[in-house]
C-alpha cells in the first residue's frame, strides 16, 4: 500500500485505497481543507518520524515490535558490570590454590583458560591507545599457565623448581610506568644455603622498556637485571648482572617479547604471551 509522509501531502488530498478481507477495494475520501482529526494534529517542528507515526496510526497500520532480548552488554555496548564481576570471581576461584600455576594440573589449566576466555568475551576488545593509563602501577602475578612446566622460566627453559634445587619462588610483580616506558618484572627468591646457615632472601628485578604494537599488544625489550638481598643480608649492596651480548644470548632468551592484553580494568589484568602463556594479575 502506497503511503506518503504528512510533510509532503498536497492541499487537495488524493483518494487513499485500502484493502481488507471483506472488500477487495474500499475507498476513503479525505477532505482537502477541513482540519485533521485531533489524533492527526502535529507540530511542524517535530521530526519526520513523528509525522510518519501519526499517519500510520490514522490508517491503523501501526505494528508493535517486541523488545530485544537482554544481552551480556550494558547500555551503549558497555560490558555488563554484574556479569563481569561474577566472571572475575569465577576466574579468581579457578586459579586460587595453584601456587601461581606451579601446582596446576592439566584440568586446572583448562578450567583457568575457560574462565579467562569468558571474561575476555564479556569485557570486549582492549584498546590501550585510549586506556593506557590503566596499565600504570604495580601488579601482582597470581597465575601463569607456563609455571606448570615446573621451571622458573615458564615456557622458556629456566631453573627447575623442586627439592633438588634450593630455589623457592616467592611473589612476582610487574611495575609499569607509562610515562618513562619502564616495565620491570620483580621476582622474590629464597636461595638455600648449607646448614646451619639460613636461606638467602633476594629480589631480582628484570628491567625492560615497553612500547605498544597495535591496540592491545605490548612489546618489551630487556635492559638489565639487578639483584638485591633482603632480610638478614639487606645491608649488602645492589648487584647488577652483566647483560649478555646478542651473539651469546640463547635463542630461548632473545631479550625481548610480546604479549596481548586481553582484559584490563582497575583491579585485574589478563595477558596472553607470545608462547600462548596465560597470565592473570591483580593490582597491588
Amino acid at each position: 500500500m502506497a503511503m506518503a509522509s504528512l510533510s509532503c501531502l498536497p492541499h487537495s488530498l488524493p483518494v487513499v485505497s485500502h484493502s481488507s478481507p471483506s472488500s477487495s477495494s474500499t475507498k476513503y475520501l479525505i477532505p482537502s481543507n477541513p482540519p485533521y482529526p485531533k489524533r492527526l494534529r502535529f507540530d511542524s517542528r517535530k521530526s519526520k518520524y513523528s509525522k510518519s507515526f501519526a499517519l500510520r496510526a490514522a490508517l491503523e497500520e501501526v505494528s508493535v515490535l517486541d523488545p530485544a532480548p537482554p544481552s551480556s552488554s550494558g547500555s551503549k555496548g558497555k560490558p555488563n558490570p554484574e556479569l563481569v564481576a561474577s566472571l572475575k570471581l569465577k576466574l579468581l576461584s579457578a586459579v586460587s590454590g595453584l601456587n601461581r600455576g606451579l601446582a596446576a594440573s592439566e584440568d586446572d589449566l583448562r578450567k583457568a583458560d575457560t574462565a579467562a576466555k569468558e571474561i575476555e568475551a564479556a569485557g570486549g576488545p582492549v584498546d590501550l591507545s585510549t586506556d593506557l593509563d590503566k596499565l600504570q602501577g604495580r601488579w601482582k602475578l597470581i597465575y601463569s599457565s607456563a609455571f606448570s612446566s615446573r621451571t622458573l622460566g615458564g615456557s622458556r627453559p629456566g631453573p627447575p623448581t623442586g627439592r633438588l634445587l634450593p630455589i623457592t619462588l616467592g611473589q612476582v610483580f610487574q611495575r609499569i610506568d607509562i610515562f618513562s616506558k619502564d616495565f620491570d618484572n620483580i621476582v622474590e627468591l629464597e636461595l638455600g644455603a648449607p646448614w646451619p646457615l639460613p636461606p638467602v632472601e633476594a629480589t631480582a628485578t628484570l628491567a625492560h622498556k615497553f612500547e605498544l604494537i597495535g591496540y592491545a599488544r605490548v612489546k618489551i625489550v630487556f635492559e638489565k637485571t639487578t639483584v638485591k638481598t633482603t632480610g638478614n643480608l639487606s645491608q649488602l649492596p645492589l648487584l647488577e648482572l652483566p647483560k649478555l651480548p646478542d651473539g651469546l644470548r640463547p635463542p630461548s632468551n632473545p631479550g625481548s617479547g610480546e604479549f596481548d592484553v586481553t582484559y584490563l580494568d582497575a583491579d585485574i589484568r589478563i595477558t596472553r604471551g607470545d608462547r600462548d602463556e596465560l597470565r592473570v594479575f591483580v593490582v597491588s
Side-chain angles (χ1 to χ4, degrees), residues 1-213:
M1 172 178 57
M3 183 182 301
S5 67
L6 289 179
S7 60
C8 60
L9 285 175
H11 291 291
S12 180
L13 295 177
V15 174
V16 180
S17 177
H18 178 71
S19 299
S20 65
S22 61
S23 175
S24 59
S25 178
T26 302
K27 298 183 179 180
Y28 300 90
L29 294 178
I30 302 178
S32 58
N33 293 325
Y36 292 102
K38 184 176 181 180
R39 64 190 180 120
L40 282 178
R41 293 180 185 274
F42 62 91
D43 190 338
S44 60
R45 293 172 297 178
K46 292 184 178 180
S47 66
K48 61 182 180 180
Y49 302 104
S50 299
K51 302 172 186 177
S52 178
F53 181 85
L55 181 58
R56 290 198 302 269
L59 297 176
E60 299 180 352
E61 292 283 342
V62 178
S63 60
V64 179
L65 298 178
D66 292 331
S71 65
S72 60
S73 298
S75 60
K76 298 182 180 179
K78 294 182 180 180
N80 185 318
E82 294 181 357
L83 175 63
V84 169
S86 174
L87 293 177
K88 286 165 66 172
L89 288 177
K90 180 179 179 180
L91 174 61
L92 295 177
S93 176
V95 302
S96 65
L98 300 181
N99 192 15
R100 286 144 296 170
L102 290 168
S105 64
E106 290 296 326
D107 187 54
D108 294 326
L109 294 175
R110 285 191 295 269
K111 289 180 179 178
D113 187 69
T114 298
K117 286 179 178 177
E118 289 178 350
I119 191 173
E120 288 166 348
V126 175
D127 186 357
L128 293 178
S129 64
T130 59
D131 290 336
L132 185 62
D133 59 312
K134 292 182 179 180
L135 281 181
Q136 179 74 23
R138 180 181 170 99
W139 297 84
K140 179 181 178 180
L141 177 70
I142 61 171
Y143 174 78
S144 171
S145 62
F147 280 168
S148 64
S149 65
R150 306 302 192 273
T151 78
L152 298 184
S155 55
R156 297 174 174 86
T161 61
R163 298 178 180 178
L164 297 180
L165 194 66
I167 297 179
T168 302
L169 177 66
Q171 301 295 336
V172 179
F173 300 91
Q174 282 185 348
R175 184 173 56 209
I176 304 174
D177 190 326
I178 64 173
F179 302 103
S180 62
K181 303 300 182 183
D182 288 332
F183 192 104
D184 298 336
N185 288 317
I186 303 171
V187 183
E188 296 177 353
L189 298 171
E190 186 178 278
L191 310 176
W195 186 86
L197 297 176
V200 177
E201 298 176 352
T203 299
T205 301
L206 287 73
H208 300 76
K209 290 292 185 180
F210 82 92
E211 62 177 313
L212 296 184
I213 304 177

Side-chain angles (χ1 to χ4, degrees), residues 221-225 240-246 248-249 254-255:
V221 179
F222 174 77
E223 289 196 324
K224 63 181 179 179
T225 299
E240 181 173 332
L241 302 182
K243 180 180 178 181
L244 291 176
D246 293 340
L248 299 179
R249 188 177 296 121

